[in-house]
Amino acid sequence: MAACACGCGGAVAIMRKANRSRGYEAGAPLRFIHGHNSWGRNRPGQITRRSVLDRFWSKVREEPSGCWEWTAVVSTDGYGLFTVSSKGRNASRRVQSHRFSWELRHAEPLPDDVWVLHRCDNPRCVNPEHLFLGDAVLNARAMVEKRRSATAE
């Protein structure tokens, strides 16, 4: 039996029928085990996809103020954005980083109508201790109380 061309040492299958479009003759060994490629599979030094948590926390910097500041992509209104892929590249979605942080801490998904608000008024902060749940009305009330609105008295 022939070995997989990725270097893993696994035995490859033998072609039962010719597949000339891929360059295989009947009885010839395949180059790779299904799922392996020219970069290898689980070899030392191989570049692998990092876990979602590794990617998320690599974009966070702890500040002296106690805020955990998002250092990657931010929206036009200053909130951090994080791309989460559920099944492959085509099923990715962009979420606000502070919402993702809250969901990580509390291990439960949030409905779309629930807002994650900041006690620290720093839209880049993802510290779960600085976050609390609310809605649009509570957010507007807090904005007026903290004198962040244009019409605050």
Side-chain angles (χ1 to χ4, degrees), residues 82-106:
F82 182 60
T83 303
V84 181
S85 58
S86 51
K87 290 185 179 178
R89 287 192 172 282
N90 297 334
S92 63
R93 62 188 172 94
R94 208 167 238 188
V95 297
Q96 291 181 321
S97 57
H98 65 288
R99 284 183 68 91
F100 187 80
S101 176
W102 194 93
E103 289 177 344
L104 278 178
R105 167 63 64 92
H106 298 282

mmCIF file of all heavy atoms in Angstrom, residues 82-106:
data_model
loop_
_atom_site.group_PDB
_atom_site.id
_atom_site.type_symbol
_atom_site.label_atom_id
_atom_site.label_comp_id
_atom_site.label_asym_id
_atom_site.label_seq_id
_atom_site.Cartn_x
_atom_site.Cartn_y
_atom_site.Cartn_z
ATOM 1 N N PHE A 82 -16.632 40.645 16.218
ATOM 2 C CA PHE A 82 -15.928 39.367 16.224
ATOM 3 C C PHE A 82 -16.641 38.408 15.291
ATOM 4 O O PHE A 82 -17.874 38.319 15.322
ATOM 5 C CB PHE A 82 -15.900 38.809 17.655
ATOM 6 C CG PHE A 82 -15.169 37.508 17.798
ATOM 7 C CD1 PHE A 82 -13.831 37.400 17.463
ATOM 8 C CD2 PHE A 82 -15.820 36.401 18.294
ATOM 9 C CE1 PHE A 82 -13.154 36.195 17.614
ATOM 10 C CE2 PHE A 82 -15.154 35.195 18.455
ATOM 11 C CZ PHE A 82 -13.819 35.093 18.113
ATOM 12 N N THR A 83 -15.894 37.718 14.448
ATOM 13 C CA THR A 83 -16.478 36.773 13.506
ATOM 14 C C THR A 83 -16.449 35.373 14.103
ATOM 15 O O THR A 83 -15.401 34.885 14.503
ATOM 16 C CB THR A 83 -15.725 36.792 12.166
ATOM 17 O OG1 THR A 83 -15.754 38.124 11.660
ATOM 18 C CG2 THR A 83 -16.362 35.855 11.167
ATOM 19 N N VAL A 84 -17.613 34.756 14.149
ATOM 20 C CA VAL A 84 -17.765 33.405 14.687
ATOM 21 C C VAL A 84 -18.225 32.510 13.551
ATOM 22 O O VAL A 84 -19.206 32.817 12.880
ATOM 23 C CB VAL A 84 -18.822 33.379 15.819
ATOM 24 C CG1 VAL A 84 -18.963 31.981 16.382
ATOM 25 C CG2 VAL A 84 -18.473 34.363 16.898
ATOM 26 N N SER A 85 -17.503 31.425 13.316
ATOM 27 C CA SER A 85 -17.952 30.483 12.289
ATOM 28 C C SER A 85 -18.447 29.227 12.978
ATOM 29 O O SER A 85 -17.794 28.690 13.862
ATOM 30 C CB SER A 85 -16.831 30.162 11.309
ATOM 31 O OG SER A 85 -15.734 29.623 11.977
ATOM 32 N N SER A 86 -19.631 28.784 12.575
ATOM 33 C CA SER A 86 -20.198 27.616 13.223
ATOM 34 C C SER A 86 -19.854 26.333 12.490
ATOM 35 O O SER A 86 -19.485 25.356 13.085
ATOM 36 C CB SER A 86 -21.714 27.766 13.360
ATOM 37 O OG SER A 86 -22.271 28.114 12.122
ATOM 38 N N LYS A 87 -19.972 26.313 11.164
ATOM 39 C CA LYS A 87 -19.626 25.116 10.391
ATOM 40 C C LYS A 87 -18.943 25.538 9.111
ATOM 41 O O LYS A 87 -19.576 25.734 8.094
ATOM 42 C CB LYS A 87 -20.873 24.303 10.061
ATOM 43 C CG LYS A 87 -21.481 23.639 11.262
ATOM 44 C CD LYS A 87 -22.627 22.757 10.864
ATOM 45 C CE LYS A 87 -23.211 22.093 12.088
ATOM 46 N NZ LYS A 87 -24.344 21.268 11.775
ATOM 47 N N GLY A 88 -17.650 25.731 9.187
ATOM 48 C CA GLY A 88 -16.897 26.110 8.006
ATOM 49 C C GLY A 88 -16.938 27.600 7.748
ATOM 50 O O GLY A 88 -17.582 28.366 8.439
ATOM 51 N N ARG A 89 -16.232 28.018 6.744
ATOM 52 C CA ARG A 89 -16.118 29.434 6.413
ATOM 53 C C ARG A 89 -17.433 30.046 5.956
ATOM 54 O O ARG A 89 -17.684 31.208 6.171
ATOM 55 C CB ARG A 89 -15.083 29.626 5.328
ATOM 56 C CG ARG A 89 -13.669 29.440 5.787
ATOM 57 C CD ARG A 89 -12.754 29.942 4.681
ATOM 58 N NE ARG A 89 -11.375 29.996 5.028
ATOM 59 C CZ ARG A 89 -10.799 30.924 5.770
ATOM 60 N NH1 ARG A 89 -11.517 31.845 6.307
ATOM 61 N NH2 ARG A 89 -9.521 30.908 5.987
ATOM 62 N N ASN A 90 -18.269 29.286 5.284
ATOM 63 C CA ASN A 90 -19.483 29.855 4.706
ATOM 64 C C ASN A 90 -20.580 30.114 5.717
ATOM 65 O O ASN A 90 -21.566 30.758 5.394
ATOM 66 C CB ASN A 90 -20.005 28.942 3.598
ATOM 67 C CG ASN A 90 -19.002 28.847 2.457
ATOM 68 O OD1 ASN A 90 -18.213 29.754 2.249
ATOM 69 N ND2 ASN A 90 -19.032 27.748 1.748
ATOM 70 N N ALA A 91 -20.445 29.619 6.920
ATOM 71 C CA ALA A 91 -21.491 29.788 7.930
ATOM 72 C C ALA A 91 -21.034 30.742 9.032
ATOM 73 O O ALA A 91 -21.372 30.561 10.175
ATOM 74 C CB ALA A 91 -21.866 28.438 8.516
ATOM 75 N N SER A 92 -20.279 31.758 8.676
ATOM 76 C CA SER A 92 -19.789 32.673 9.708
ATOM 77 C C SER A 92 -20.753 33.835 9.889
ATOM 78 O O SER A 92 -21.511 34.186 8.994
ATOM 79 C CB SER A 92 -18.393 33.177 9.362
ATOM 80 O OG SER A 92 -18.429 33.915 8.171
ATOM 81 N N ARG A 93 -20.698 34.404 11.091
ATOM 82 C CA ARG A 93 -21.523 35.572 11.392
ATOM 83 C C ARG A 93 -20.697 36.507 12.259
ATOM 84 O O ARG A 93 -19.798 36.083 12.975
ATOM 85 C CB ARG A 93 -22.819 35.177 12.089
ATOM 86 C CG ARG A 93 -22.622 34.503 13.421
ATOM 87 C CD ARG A 93 -23.920 33.962 13.999
ATOM 88 N NE ARG A 93 -23.642 33.165 15.167
ATOM 89 C CZ ARG A 93 -23.657 33.624 16.410
ATOM 90 N NH1 ARG A 93 -23.976 34.869 16.649
ATOM 91 N NH2 ARG A 93 -23.381 32.835 17.417
ATOM 92 N N ARG A 94 -20.999 37.785 12.178
ATOM 93 C CA ARG A 94 -20.284 38.788 12.950
ATOM 94 C C ARG A 94 -21.140 39.180 14.146
ATOM 95 O O ARG A 94 -22.309 39.494 13.996
ATOM 96 C CB ARG A 94 -20.011 39.999 12.073
ATOM 97 C CG ARG A 94 -18.797 40.741 12.502
ATOM 98 C CD ARG A 94 -18.386 41.715 11.460
ATOM 99 N NE ARG A 94 -17.023 41.404 11.079
ATOM 100 C CZ ARG A 94 -16.308 42.158 10.302
ATOM 101 N NH1 ARG A 94 -16.804 43.233 9.772
ATOM 102 N NH2 ARG A 94 -15.081 41.828 10.023
ATOM 103 N N VAL A 95 -20.535 39.150 15.325
ATOM 104 C CA VAL A 95 -21.248 39.504 16.551
ATOM 105 C C VAL A 95 -20.495 40.622 17.258
ATOM 106 O O VAL A 95 -19.301 40.811 17.043
ATOM 107 C CB VAL A 95 -21.387 38.282 17.500
ATOM 108 C CG1 VAL A 95 -22.218 37.193 16.868
ATOM 109 C CG2 VAL A 95 -20.033 37.741 17.903
ATOM 110 N N GLN A 96 -21.212 41.350 18.106
ATOM 111 C CA GLN A 96 -20.536 42.360 18.906
ATOM 112 C C GLN A 96 -19.718 41.648 19.984
ATOM 113 O O GLN A 96 -20.192 40.714 20.622
ATOM 114 C CB GLN A 96 -21.552 43.309 19.525
ATOM 115 C CG GLN A 96 -22.222 44.199 18.506
ATOM 116 C CD GLN A 96 -23.211 45.145 19.152
ATOM 117 O OE1 GLN A 96 -23.930 44.789 20.068
ATOM 118 N NE2 GLN A 96 -23.244 46.372 18.647
ATOM 119 N N SER A 97 -18.480 42.099 20.161
ATOM 120 C CA SER A 97 -17.555 41.396 21.054
ATOM 121 C C SER A 97 -18.034 41.408 22.505
ATOM 122 O O SER A 97 -17.826 40.434 23.232
ATOM 123 C CB SER A 97 -16.154 41.981 20.938
ATOM 124 O OG SER A 97 -16.165 43.356 21.209
ATOM 125 N N HIS A 98 -18.686 42.471 22.958
ATOM 126 C CA HIS A 98 -19.140 42.497 24.350
ATOM 127 C C HIS A 98 -20.301 41.524 24.561
ATOM 128 O O HIS A 98 -20.417 40.914 25.620
ATOM 129 C CB HIS A 98 -19.493 43.919 24.792
ATOM 130 C CG HIS A 98 -20.645 44.554 24.098
ATOM 131 N ND1 HIS A 98 -20.591 44.975 22.791
ATOM 132 C CD2 HIS A 98 -21.891 44.846 24.530
ATOM 133 C CE1 HIS A 98 -21.747 45.502 22.450
ATOM 134 N NE2 HIS A 98 -22.559 45.429 23.485
ATOM 135 N N ARG A 99 -21.157 41.326 23.549
ATOM 136 C CA ARG A 99 -22.230 40.328 23.650
ATOM 137 C C ARG A 99 -21.632 38.917 23.725
ATOM 138 O O ARG A 99 -22.061 38.078 24.506
ATOM 139 C CB ARG A 99 -23.178 40.416 22.456
ATOM 140 C CG ARG A 99 -24.136 41.572 22.522
ATOM 141 C CD ARG A 99 -25.087 41.557 21.342
ATOM 142 N NE ARG A 99 -26.025 40.455 21.369
ATOM 143 C CZ ARG A 99 -27.231 40.498 21.922
ATOM 144 N NH1 ARG A 99 -27.655 41.592 22.506
ATOM 145 N NH2 ARG A 99 -28.017 39.438 21.893
ATOM 146 N N PHE A 100 -20.601 38.668 22.888
ATOM 147 C CA PHE A 100 -19.944 37.359 22.880
ATOM 148 C C PHE A 100 -19.304 37.088 24.241
ATOM 149 O O PHE A 100 -19.414 35.983 24.775
ATOM 150 C CB PHE A 100 -18.892 37.310 21.765
ATOM 151 C CG PHE A 100 -18.289 35.960 21.559
ATOM 152 C CD1 PHE A 100 -18.952 34.986 20.835
ATOM 153 C CD2 PHE A 100 -17.050 35.655 22.107
ATOM 154 C CE1 PHE A 100 -18.393 33.729 20.652
ATOM 155 C CE2 PHE A 100 -16.483 34.408 21.925
ATOM 156 C CZ PHE A 100 -17.162 33.443 21.191
ATOM 157 N N SER A 101 -18.668 38.094 24.827
ATOM 158 C CA SER A 101 -18.046 37.952 26.141
ATOM 159 C C SER A 101 -19.092 37.613 27.202
ATOM 160 O O SER A 101 -18.868 36.750 28.060
ATOM 161 C CB SER A 101 -17.318 39.242 26.507
ATOM 162 O OG SER A 101 -16.780 39.162 27.795
ATOM 163 N N TRP A 102 -20.235 38.298 27.160
ATOM 164 C CA TRP A 102 -21.293 38.029 28.133
ATOM 165 C C TRP A 102 -21.798 36.594 27.974
ATOM 166 O O TRP A 102 -21.992 35.882 28.956
ATOM 167 C CB TRP A 102 -22.448 39.021 27.969
ATOM 168 C CG TRP A 102 -23.381 38.990 29.129
ATOM 169 C CD1 TRP A 102 -23.338 39.778 30.229
ATOM 170 C CD2 TRP A 102 -24.482 38.095 29.333
ATOM 171 N NE1 TRP A 102 -24.343 39.433 31.098
ATOM 172 C CE2 TRP A 102 -25.060 38.396 30.573
ATOM 173 C CE3 TRP A 102 -25.032 37.060 28.580
ATOM 174 C CZ2 TRP A 102 -26.143 37.718 31.081
ATOM 175 C CZ3 TRP A 102 -26.118 36.366 29.084
ATOM 176 C CH2 TRP A 102 -26.672 36.705 30.327
ATOM 177 N N GLU A 103 -21.997 36.146 26.732
ATOM 178 C CA GLU A 103 -22.464 34.783 26.486
ATOM 179 C C GLU A 103 -21.440 33.752 26.950
ATOM 180 O O GLU A 103 -21.808 32.691 27.450
ATOM 181 C CB GLU A 103 -22.799 34.589 25.010
ATOM 182 C CG GLU A 103 -24.052 35.328 24.584
ATOM 183 C CD GLU A 103 -24.358 35.196 23.096
ATOM 184 O OE1 GLU A 103 -23.462 34.800 22.323
ATOM 185 O OE2 GLU A 103 -25.493 35.495 22.713
ATOM 186 N N LEU A 104 -20.149 34.056 26.788
ATOM 187 C CA LEU A 104 -19.103 33.143 27.282
ATOM 188 C C LEU A 104 -19.197 32.989 28.788
ATOM 189 O O LEU A 104 -19.132 31.879 29.316
ATOM 190 C CB LEU A 104 -17.716 33.677 26.936
ATOM 191 C CG LEU A 104 -17.169 33.428 25.560
ATOM 192 C CD1 LEU A 104 -15.806 34.077 25.423
ATOM 193 C CD2 LEU A 104 -17.079 31.951 25.268
ATOM 194 N N ARG A 105 -19.305 34.097 29.505
ATOM 195 C CA ARG A 105 -19.335 34.076 30.968
ATOM 196 C C ARG A 105 -20.558 33.334 31.487
ATOM 197 O O ARG A 105 -20.480 32.562 32.430
ATOM 198 C CB ARG A 105 -19.308 35.504 31.486
ATOM 199 C CG ARG A 105 -19.643 35.685 32.964
ATOM 200 C CD ARG A 105 -18.675 35.018 33.947
ATOM 201 N NE ARG A 105 -17.347 35.538 33.934
ATOM 202 C CZ ARG A 105 -16.918 36.509 34.716
ATOM 203 N NH1 ARG A 105 -17.712 37.078 35.562
ATOM 204 N NH2 ARG A 105 -15.683 36.909 34.631
ATOM 205 N N HIS A 106 -21.711 33.581 30.863
ATOM 206 C CA HIS A 106 -22.956 33.035 31.390
ATOM 207 C C HIS A 106 -23.410 31.767 30.675
ATOM 208 O O HIS A 106 -24.428 31.189 31.059
ATOM 209 C CB HIS A 106 -24.047 34.108 31.336
ATOM 210 C CG HIS A 106 -23.692 35.285 32.183
ATOM 211 N ND1 HIS A 106 -23.834 35.284 33.545
ATOM 212 C CD2 HIS A 106 -23.164 36.486 31.869
ATOM 213 C CE1 HIS A 106 -23.423 36.437 34.032
ATOM 214 N NE2 HIS A 106 -23.001 37.187 33.035
#
